[in-house]
Amino acid sequence: MDASADTIPTALLDWYDSQARVLPWRSPPGAPATEPYRVWLSEVMLQQTTVAAVGPYFAKFLARWPTVSDLAAAEDAEVMAAWAGLGYYARARNLLACARAVAARGGSFPETEAELRALPGLGAYTAAAVAAIAFGQPATVVDANVERVIARLYAIDEPLPAARKPIRVRAERLTPAKRPGDFAQAMMDLGATVCTPRNPRCLLCPLADHCIGRRDGAERFPVKPAKAAKPQRKGRAFWITRDHAVWLVQRPGLGMLGGMRALPDDGWSARSDGSAIAPLVGTWSAAGLVRHSFTHFDLDLQLMLYSGGDLDRLEGDSGEWWPLDRIAEAGLPTLFAKAARLALAQR
Ligand code: SF4
């Protein structure tokens, strides 16, 4: 067996005994376990939310619904309203479903990770956390903090998400039979306060002597996946003016920039063969390229200026003549605001 599988938990628990964060949902190191309702409630609230933000909500929920059965008996709307501001509202719905399932079995949570996992809305992480922290089961708890600590300790070179498997294997090997709940919380605390994403404080770390990643530049672990190149799209936008006003349209409600005011365009297909139909027959000249990056693709938008005269045909379209001197008030999305700036610079 890896010698570090014994020495690392011991070193970490020694550190935790003096450095544990004091949190409202926690028992002090070595004290009897916190009751499962509190552990579960705090872990659900802490998903995607900071410790500081959770504090007042945790206190409010406990004051209003002191037991899981009290929570189970609450009206849905009451609980949703109490959750308002914490975000990710599916968590509140899952919270209620789980509370009612626990109430239906007499108000006590099951003790094993597998049984906890079978409750509605309880994912692998929360099931392991409740099993370890509330019931002292040797369950391995891996959140983003733990993932970072383990990836650094063992200098796991594989990028995420493939690295999750070796990280879990290493974490399982380290999970001690004694004090697994404190061990899980110690790992979380180490990740949150010492082995931080940026500038880890290795000089203060109880695991520094065992840490391989530290010698290798700790911040590069866990290794991030290579960014996939974004698809490139091309398109054209049309700038048509009359009497110091520009023709703007309302984009369809669904789809990119839905419902926003915009220049007419050709729908930005992947091709740039110029075959898309311009809104008017007449003389068009290319005025330059607007480059814009969306989350899922990059766009090169060719701006076209109209210099024909057949403007009455536009009137039937769903658009409006917008005064050029009030273009800043049109609420154009960034892409079209860039295009407007380019067009105005050429006047
Ligand atoms: Fe993280 Fe540094 Fe500790 Fe390694 S020595 S676990 S990199 S804080």
Side-chain angles (χ1 to χ4, degrees), residues 149 152-153 190 194-195 200-202 205 207-208 211 213-214 218:
V149 173
R152 289 174 177 177
L153 263 179
L190 191 75
V194 176
C195 194
R201 301 154 77 203
C202 301
C205 180
L207 308 184
C211 183
R214 179 191 178 197

